[in-house]
Amino acid sequence: MNYVAIDKKHVWHPFTQELTAPDPILIKGAKGSILYKENGEEVLDLVSSWWVNIHGHANEKIVQALHKQAQTMEHVIFAGFTHKPAIELSQRLTKILPDKLERVFFSDNGSTAVEIALKLSLQYWFNKGQSNRKRIIAFNNSYHGDTFGAMSVAKESGFYEPFEDKLFHVDFINYPSTYMNDPNLEQTEEECLKEFTNLLDKTAQDTSAIILEPLIQGAGGMNMMTTNYLQKMVKIAKSYGILVIFDEVMVGFGRTGDIFACNKAKVEPDLICLSKGLTGGFLPMAITVATEEIYEAFLDEDFNRAFAHGHSFTANPLGCAVALASLDITLSDETQANLKRIEKLHRDRLEEASTLKNVEKVRLCGTVGALDVISTEQSGYTSPIGTKLKTYYWKHNIHLRPLGNVVYMLPPYCTTNDQLNKGWDVLLAGIKQL
C-alpha cells in the first residue's frame, strides 16, 4: 500500500505549503534520537520532533508508566472529580517552581496554556474591580500559539495577517536579542528597558500583564536574552504592579540548562505556561500555574467570579502519569549531566561555526544552539535559505528544521556526543555549500 500517496490525497500538514512541499517522509518507528524510515534508513532527530521529545523517542520508563496507568483509568471528567496522577503532578511541579506558584490549571497544549494565562490575568483585575486593566504587553517576534488570544500576543510574527481584524490590541516592545561576544549588549538592554519603562509610565494603570518567552524566543528565530535583562525587566514590571506571564512551553524542563528559565534567572512570574516537554513528547498536555494571590481573586459565592474554562481532556490521567515519569528522568543525575555535556559540545561547535564567512550571531542557552546564515536574499522565517538547507539536511538523514536563515539545534537529552558531532558536521557542511 502506498501510504504517502494516500497521505497526499487526504492529509493537510501543519506549517506546510502543500502545493510546493516535497512528499512527506514516512516514518515507521523511533527510538532515542533516531527516526526509522519505511525503507530502513535512520534519521537523526536533532530538534526533538518539534521540541517535545526531550528524552528521545520510546523511552522505556515513560512507556511503562503509560502502560500501567492505561490498565487502571484512561480518563475521567475533571470537574467535580480528581485523581492521584493529577494531584501528584501538581504537588511535584509546585515544589520545583518558584515558591509563590501554587495553583495548577490543566489544559491541552501550549496555545491553550497561554490562552488560560491571558484570561486569568484579565479576569483577575476584573474580579478586583479594576476592569480598565485590559492592555497586554508582549515582545516583537514572539510566538505563543495559534488560538486567537495567543495569536494576538504574537501578531508581530507575521503569521496572522488574514486574522488581524479579529485580534485584540497588544502593546509590543523590542526584544533584547543578544549573541556570543555581542559588543552592543549593554546598549541594547539599556534601550529595551527604557522603552519598557516609558510604556509603563503611560499605560501601567490600564495594563493587565506582560507575556514573554524567557531567555529564548522559539519560533520567532531562537532569539536569546540574558538572565540579567530578565531580572531587571521583571523587577520593573512588578514595581508598576502589572502581572508577569512566562511562556515556558518551549524552554521548560531543562532546555535553558535549568529545570525552568525562571529558576535559572532566579525570578518569580505570576503565571507560567508549560507544555511540550511536560510529557516527554508522549501525549498532548499543558499546564498553567498561578500564584495563590491570583487564585484567591476567583473565590466567591458568585459563580460569575469563578474561572469558567476547561477542556474535555483536562488533567488526562494518562498524560499526568507520563508527565510524572518524564519529570523523574529530567531531574535524574544522568539527565542533569547530559544538559551540561550538550551545552559544552554546542559551545565548541558554535565557536567553529563563528569562523565561517556566511555565519553571524552564534548564540547558546543550555541545550539550544543557534546561528544566523548571512544572506543577500530575504531573511526571516520565509527566507529561501531555510528550504535549501532543510533539503540538504534531510538528504543526509539529519532532521534539522531551519527557521528561514536561522539554523538551530535542539536535541533530545539522550543524544550522544557522536550523534551531536555528526549533526554539527552536516549542519556546517550545509551552510558551507551555500
Side-chain angles (χ1 to χ4, degrees):
M1 185 178 295
N2 190 336
Y3 283 99
V4 172
I6 298 171
D7 177 288
K8 289 177 68 66
K9 183 176 181 180
H10 296 292
V11 179
W12 196 338
H13 290 269
F15 283 95
T16 300
Q17 175 45 264
E18 297 280 11
L19 181 64
T20 58
D23 289 353
I25 300 169
L26 184 61
I27 300 298
K28 67 175 182 179
K31 183 68 177 177
S33 300
I34 302 296
L35 307 174
Y36 297 98
K37 292 183 181 180
E38 187 69 17
N39 64 5
E41 291 182 0
E42 296 183 1
V43 178
L44 186 55
D45 181 3
L46 294 177
V47 295
S48 305
S49 286
W50 245 336
W51 320 338
V52 299
N53 290 88
I54 58 176
H55 306 302
H57 301 272
N59 182 280
E60 284 299 326
K61 291 182 180 178
I62 303 179
V63 169
Q64 290 168 11
L66 178 60
H67 179 254
K68 182 178 179 181
Q69 182 58 45
Q71 292 176 310
T72 305
M73 178 174 60
E74 80 298 333
H75 190 58
V76 65
I77 183 174
F78 206 58
F81 292 88
T82 191
H83 50 79
K84 288 181 181 179
I87 296 168
E88 291 174 3
L89 181 57
S90 300
Q91 182 184 47
R92 290 197 61 192
L93 282 175
T94 54
K95 280 185 176 180
I96 58 176
L97 283 165
D99 290 344
K100 293 183 180 180
L101 290 170
E102 287 284 346
R103 294 291 176 166
V104 175
F105 197 97
F106 289 87
S107 62
D108 298 348
N109 55 53
S111 297
T112 57
V114 166
E115 204 82 11
I116 287 162
L118 294 171
K119 290 176 70 175
L120 285 174
S121 67
L122 292 167
Q123 190 176 342
Y124 168 78
W125 293 112
F126 181 90
N127 285 358
K128 290 177 72 69
Q130 298 184 49
S131 57
N132 59 298
R133 284 183 173 259
K134 295 180 179 179
R135 300 179 81 110
I136 301 286
I137 300 173
F139 281 95
N140 290 324
N141 297 315
S142 297
Y143 177 82
H144 295 288
D146 294 332
T147 51
F148 273 86
M151 286 195 294
S152 295
V153 291
K155 62 184 177 184
E156 294 297 302
S157 67
F159 294 146
Y160 308 130
E161 185 178 353
F163 319 109
E164 276 195 15
D165 63 327
K166 305 300 181 187
L167 307 181
F168 58 74
H169 171 78
V170 173
D171 296 314
F172 286 96
I173 57 176
N174 288 316
Y175 190 91
S177 299
T178 188
Y179 50 93
M180 294 166 64
N181 304 315
D182 181 358
N184 302 312
L185 172 60
E186 187 174 339
Q187 180 182 350
T188 298
E189 292 188 340
E190 184 178 327
E191 290 174 353
C192 288
L193 287 172
K194 184 177 181 181
E195 178 189 15
F196 182 42
T197 303
N198 288 343
L199 175 62
L200 289 176
D201 283 340
K202 300 173 185 176
T203 65
Q205 67 276 11
D206 296 317
T207 298
S208 166
I210 179 171
I211 182 169
L212 71 149
E213 300 159 272
L215 300 185
I216 310 173
Q217 282 187 323
M222 294 298 162
N223 305 308
M224 299 182 185
M225 66 164 65
T226 66
T227 56
N228 180 59
Y229 180 87
L230 188 59
Q231 290 166 354
K232 291 179 178 178
M233 191 221 73
V234 171
K235 185 176 181 180
I236 290 170
K238 289 184 178 292
S239 72
Y240 279 84
I242 68 170
L243 300 178
V244 177
I245 303 170
F246 276 12
D247 175 356
E248 294 214 28
V249 168
M250 189 271 278
V251 299
F253 302 101
R255 277 294 167 203
T256 64
D258 206 330
I259 184 68
F260 300 114
C262 55
N263 295 42
K264 182 169 184 173
K266 296 180 173 57
V267 293
E268 291 200 8
D270 300 289
L271 292 151
I272 189 169
C273 308
L274 305 171
S275 190
K276 290 196 183 289
L278 173 63
T279 65
F282 271 68
L283 288 169
M285 174 173 276
I287 279 173
T288 306
V289 191
T291 63
E292 189 71 16
E293 180 183 354
I294 291 176
Y295 172 77
E296 289 178 355
F298 291 76
L299 304 180
D300 196 90
E301 296 293 332
D302 185 356
F303 179 80
N304 289 327
R305 292 173 65 88
F307 188 53
H309 188 111
H311 305 97
S312 300
F313 289 95
T314 294
N316 174 257
L318 299 173
C320 292
V322 298
L324 284 164
S326 180
L327 190 57
D328 284 339
I329 300 168
T330 302
L331 296 174
S332 69
D333 291 342
E334 180 181 2
T335 296
Q336 294 305 304
N338 282 338
L339 299 181
K340 294 181 175 64
R341 173 182 59 81
I342 293 170
E343 182 173 5
K344 182 182 183 304
L345 192 148
H346 278 349
R347 187 178 300 279
D348 292 342
R349 298 308 301 261
L350 282 167
E351 288 178 0
E352 177 186 346
S354 67
T355 65
L356 300 183
K357 292 182 178 180
N358 59 338
V359 165
E360 65 178 355
K361 297 181 179 178
V362 298
R363 48 203 184 271
L364 172 67
C365 183
T367 66
V368 184
L371 55 85
D372 287 6
V373 178
I374 300 171
S375 172
T376 57
E377 302 176 279
Q378 176 184 355
S379 60
Y381 187 84
T382 56
S383 169
I385 282 180
T387 301
K388 294 175 183 177
L389 286 173
K390 185 171 69 172
T391 301
Y392 180 89
Y393 297 146
W394 286 11
K395 180 181 178 182
H396 290 78
N397 284 332
I398 300 293
H399 182 207
L400 292 169
R401 192 179 175 88
L403 300 164
N405 66 310
V406 175
V407 185
Y408 70 93
M409 193 179 292
L410 199 151
Y413 304 149
C414 62
T415 309
T416 67
N417 281 2
D418 286 345
Q419 291 173 326
L420 289 171
N421 278 316
K422 178 182 178 181
W424 274 108
D425 288 345
V426 174
L427 185 153
L428 297 177
I431 294 172
K432 290 175 182 177
Q433 59 88 31
L434 288 173

